[in-house]
Amino acid sequence: MAAVLEGAELSIVVPVFNEEDSVQPLVARIRDAMTGFGKPWELILVDDGSTDRTLPNARKELLQPGLRLRIIELQKNFGQTAAMQAGIDAAAGRLIATLDGDLQNDPKDIPAMVAAIEERELDLLVGWRKNRRDGLLFRKIPSWCANFLIGKITGVKLHDYGCSLKIYRSTVIKQVKLMGEMHRFIPAWVAGVVPSSRIGEMPVTHHARHFGASKYGISRTFRVILDLLAVLFFMRYKARPGHFFGSIGLAAGGVSGLILTYLAFDKFLLGNDIGDRPMLMVGVMLFLSSVQLITTGILAEMMARAYFRDDETTNYIVRQVFEPEPPHA
């Protein structure tokens, strides 16, 4: 196992994927931004299966004197969420900062955010790209819509859920397990373990992309909607999924019961023929759906209990960890 920095105040976690031109300027900017920090800090780069020279270029930075840098190489491309989780798991700092590796987030905001999270007694401080340097049609407008929907559904109202520049208390974020593509919903996940009053935001600088290409397109909007439904389910029904499926099943069963009772009255007391009536088919289908949903709820409850008993699996595989060579005596 790789050594960690004892007594670190801050760990800076940066997932990178095919950022060969950005990674060295990124490290230089982070180092410059943290020059006057005055407390122990470390930088963790997580290479998410890059296929270009991102990893070799990053490893050159291990030679920088006085820089506490660890590079975690993942075995393949697991996605930004998994890479971020790998960095958070490895972080030794009391606080953890995350940012993108494309130079659009400004590391100079990190010291001010560290001071703000302490002063405001927060557990999570989210960057707000107030003057965002992205395209209006394909980036800003979908982002505004997504932020509005997420705030309405989760109850955690922020201007910018998608900003990767965030500061967390390590003890809090390590209670949250990130899965799928859920990094954009981290404030909602954190709200599951702390009150939303301990989640805040502050304006940060945002730069236009100078190198490489964005990893996201307009298709992300549709994935956000699906992910949002999953977040809503996990926030409210993670520990009791039977209530979610069972409630729908009971509602369907109730409507089915009313329909079939009416048809039975019509058939046996009034003597009318009901064999060719669409209402009969609707009633039967609702009854079968009710049985299926309630059964699904019971199975989901059983799976939830198994999940909570064995929740130690990770959604990434580390190939190797690179660190500076220790000084020779």
Side-chain angles (χ1 to χ4, degrees):
M1 175 179 280
V4 297
L5 180 61
E6 298 294 338
E9 175 70 9
L10 177 68
S11 296
I12 302 175
V13 174
V14 188
V16 289
F17 174 64
N18 288 350
E19 299 286 359
E20 61 182 2
D21 295 319
S22 301
V23 65
Q24 289 180 298
L26 171 71
V27 173
R29 290 187 187 185
I30 291 175
R31 188 168 188 174
D32 289 344
M34 301 302 292
T35 298
F37 186 61
K39 296 179 181 179
W41 63 278
E42 64 174 351
L43 173 59
I44 300 173
L45 297 179
V46 184
D47 178 54
D48 187 24
S50 296
T51 56
D52 60 3
R53 293 194 55 78
T54 296
L55 181 59
N57 289 351
R59 290 183 62 184
K60 293 176 184 177
E61 300 303 308
L62 293 170
L63 303 176
Q64 295 286 343
L67 176 63
R68 178 53 175 169
L69 169 64
R70 279 187 284 162
I71 302 171
I72 299 174
E73 179 191 5
L74 300 189
Q75 191 160 290
K76 70 179 189 70
N77 178 239
F78 289 95
Q80 185 175 354
T81 303
M84 192 174 292
Q85 182 72 68
I88 290 170
D89 289 344
R94 186 178 66 86
L95 299 173
I96 298 175
T98 59
L99 68 156
D100 280 336
D102 56 11
L103 301 179
Q104 290 194 270
N105 296 137
D106 196 330
K108 290 183 179 179
D109 289 314
I110 293 176
M113 292 183 73
V114 169
I117 196 173
E118 299 285 30
E119 181 182 344
R120 295 163 62 180
E121 298 183 347
L122 300 173
D123 290 320
L124 167 59
L125 183 61
V126 181
W128 171 18
R129 297 166 294 182
K130 198 169 184 179
N131 296 309
R132 186 172 176 179
R133 306 298 182 183
D134 279 323
L136 178 65
L137 181 61
F138 294 111
R139 299 300 299 274
K140 288 185 179 180
I141 292 178
S143 180
W144 292 335
C145 295
N147 290 327
F148 175 78
L149 284 173
I150 296 169
K152 280 290 185 183
I153 290 177
T154 66
V156 183
K157 300 192 184 303
L158 299 171
H159 288 91
D160 191 358
Y161 264 81
C163 182
S164 294
L165 182 52
K166 299 179 176 72
I167 307 288
Y168 316 81
R169 292 196 189 275
S170 176
T171 54
V172 171
I173 191 58
K174 291 196 177 196
Q175 297 177 45
V176 178
K177 187 171 183 178
L178 306 178
M179 302 292 292
E181 295 186 10
M182 298 299 188
H183 58 276
R184 62 178 68 91
F185 298 108
I186 285 178
W189 294 122
V190 171
V193 296
V194 300
S196 58
S197 59
R198 294 189 65 88
I199 300 172
E201 63 181 348
M202 68 175 287
V204 295
T205 305
H206 189 245
H207 300 288
R209 175 182 274 272
H210 294 290
F211 304 106
S214 173
K215 313 300 187 296
Y216 302 104
I218 190 66
S219 62
R220 182 179 65 163
T221 304
F222 304 105
R223 297 199 300 270
V224 166
I225 295 173
L226 295 175
D227 288 343
L228 186 54
L229 294 174
V231 168
L232 177 63
F233 176 84
F234 274 94
M235 286 185 68
R236 298 187 181 180
Y237 300 103
K238 178 181 178 181
R240 47 189 180 92
H243 290 203
F244 175 79
F245 294 105
S247 298
I248 301 175
L250 289 175
V255 175
S256 170
L258 291 174
I259 292 174
L260 295 178
T261 300
Y262 167 75
L263 291 176
F265 173 82
D266 202 21
K267 169 70 175 178
F268 297 112
L269 295 183
L270 300 182
N272 295 322
D273 185 16
I274 63 171
D276 58 350
R277 297 177 65 173
M279 188 177 290
L280 177 62
M281 182 63 69
V282 172
V284 171
M285 291 302 295
L286 284 173
F287 174 76
L288 294 175
S289 298
S290 173
V291 173
Q292 287 184 321
L293 285 165
I294 292 173
T295 304
T296 300
I298 294 171
L299 293 175
E301 288 282 347
M302 295 171 64
M303 293 176 65
R305 279 152 179 72
Y307 171 83
F308 283 113
R309 281 199 305 268
D310 184 19
D311 195 21
E312 299 301 321
T313 56
T314 61
N315 56 342
Y316 60 88
I317 302 172
V318 175
R319 181 187 298 276
Q320 194 171 354
V321 176
F322 302 94
E323 295 188 280
E325 291 291 334
H328 298 287

